[in-house]
Amino acid sequence: MIRVGLAGLGMAAQPHMLALRDLEAAGQVRIAGGFSPSADRRTAFATRWSVPVFDSLDALIAASDLLLVLTPPGAHLPMVQAAAAACRHVLVEKPLEITAERAQRLLDAAAGITLAVVFQHRFRPASLRLKQAIDSGALGKLLSCSASIRWWRDAAYFAQPGRGMKARDGGGVLLTQSIHTLDLLLHLAGPVDRLAALAVTSPLRSIDTEDIAAATLHFASGAIGVLDATTVAEPGFPERIEIAGTGGSAVLVAERLELHLKGQPVEILDRGLAGGGGADPMAFDHGPHRSMIAEVLGAIAEKRPPSNSGASGLSVQRTIEAILRSAREGSFVTL
């Protein structure tokens, strides 16, 4: 029975706790409790979920076998270092850290433990089916691979101190919101090796990070595509991935997949269009979180890397940094 502790009791804790409750009921985990430096958050968390809370990270680590790090990204590195020193496994929220350099240091620190990253979109049934179609060769050689994330975040979202600022979040729409969809695009289509981009901050909010970005992408496979990402598209729309290959095409809109394979009837897998793209960033089902945590539990038991290993989260972070560098320099960037 793996004991799971949560470090960071803010907004991100909700889907994880719902998933852990399901897994606990199935006899797969025991929820050890949570920690936050905020006494108010500890009290609110204990009241809502009826689980223990700890007043120090060390106490939580001592009571846990697997630590879920759900804090703002700038706090990830020291927490993972502390967990690894105690030989505790870690599932860390995206992004790994605020920069790729710090993310690499985090990976180095976790060399002796199982480290996974929260990219739950990979575990949506529609995403799994599309990944299977691509890996089996059913879509043929990939030719065009694009993603559109036209989301909305209101004034209440940015009212939290530090929200959207480099010091707290490390980045804007790319690193904080669109990273899930961009990661899924790379997970499906493979790495980007060359890109050109633009990124700006709209006049809608006083932040020092981008909230509108666009990039032309060249994939290592030879495919090309575009990324369109923003949080200024009120009221917010489901994220979208489109992939075309020599064997057919696919359109993935949140959790709805249309798969058009040559010579076959269209295949539709529809789990809904709610994806957290509107003013409520938590408006999504926790099922993919449950599947993701179950994958990490299996990896720990089988002593293998999880499919959402920490190392697999570095590619999207390097791609985001390349997009921002291209926007600053006004030129193509090679990864």
Side-chain angles (χ1 to χ4, degrees), residues 260-322:
H260 300 261
L261 300 178
K262 289 185 177 180
Q264 298 185 28
V266 61
E267 178 182 341
I268 297 177
L269 180 57
D270 193 349
R271 295 290 295 270
L273 300 180
D280 180 4
M282 294 291 104
F284 55 80
D285 177 63
H286 68 277
H289 277 78
R290 182 177 60 241
S291 297
M292 174 189 62
I293 296 173
E295 162 65 8
V296 178
L297 298 175
I300 293 171
E302 297 162 19
K303 296 181 171 57
R304 61 168 174 82
S307 61
N308 58 323
S309 69
S312 75
L314 195 55
S315 176
V316 66
Q317 194 142 7
R318 288 176 170 159
T319 302
I320 288 170
E321 289 192 357

Side-chain angles (χ1 to χ4, degrees), residues 13-205:
Q14 175 178 304
H16 291 281
M17 280 300 299
L18 291 171
L20 288 170
R21 277 286 169 82
D22 291 349
L23 295 169
E24 190 173 53
Q28 293 182 260
V29 301
R30 182 167 67 83
I31 302 172
F35 162 72
S36 169
S38 166
D40 290 342
R41 284 195 172 180
R42 292 197 300 269
T43 299
F45 183 80
T47 300
R48 177 176 181 185
W49 301 105
S50 299
V51 297
V53 291
F54 299 84
D55 58 8
S56 75
L57 178 64
D58 288 343
L60 176 65
I61 290 174
S64 307
D65 304 303
L66 171 65
L67 185 69
L68 272 55
V69 177
L70 311 179
T71 62
H76 290 178
L77 176 57
M79 287 191 167
V80 172
Q81 288 172 329
C87 298
R88 295 325 195 244
H89 306 294
V90 177
L91 172 60
V92 60
E93 257 292 357
K94 58 76 190 169
L96 288 170
E97 249 287 351
I98 57 173
T99 66
E101 184 274 332
R102 286 179 63 87
Q104 184 61 62
R105 289 169 57 194
L106 185 151
L107 294 177
D108 294 342
I113 62 170
T114 298
L115 175 70
V117 61
V118 177
F119 282 126
Q120 75 273 6
H121 288 199
R122 300 184 190 181
F123 294 88
R124 290 171 166 177
S127 301
L128 293 170
R129 174 66 185 107
L130 180 52
K131 176 70 170 170
Q132 180 187 49
I134 292 171
D135 289 351
S136 70
L139 277 170
K141 177 178 172 56
L142 300 187
L143 304 172
S144 174
C145 308
S146 297
S148 178
I149 309 98
R150 301 194 64 75
W151 284 6
W152 168 249
R153 291 293 184 263
D154 61 12
Y157 176 85
F158 286 102
Q160 182 173 335
R163 179 82 75 183
M165 305 299 283
K166 292 177 183 176
R168 178 190 184 276
D169 293 339
V173 63
L174 293 171
L175 196 65
T176 305
Q177 286 88 27
S178 302
I179 187 171
H180 279 297
T181 308
L182 179 55
D183 169 76
L184 181 57
L185 180 66
L186 300 179
H187 182 63
L188 295 168
V192 169
D193 61 10
R194 190 165 176 255
L195 60 83
L198 296 169
V200 299
T201 304
S202 77
L204 295 182
R205 63 263 315 206

Side-chain angles (χ1 to χ4, degrees), residues 191-196 216-220 223-225 322 332-335:
V192 169
D193 61 10
R194 190 165 176 255
L195 60 83
T216 301
L217 309 174
H218 184 275
F219 293 83
I224 63 172
F332 272 91
V333 169
T334 300
L335 282 82

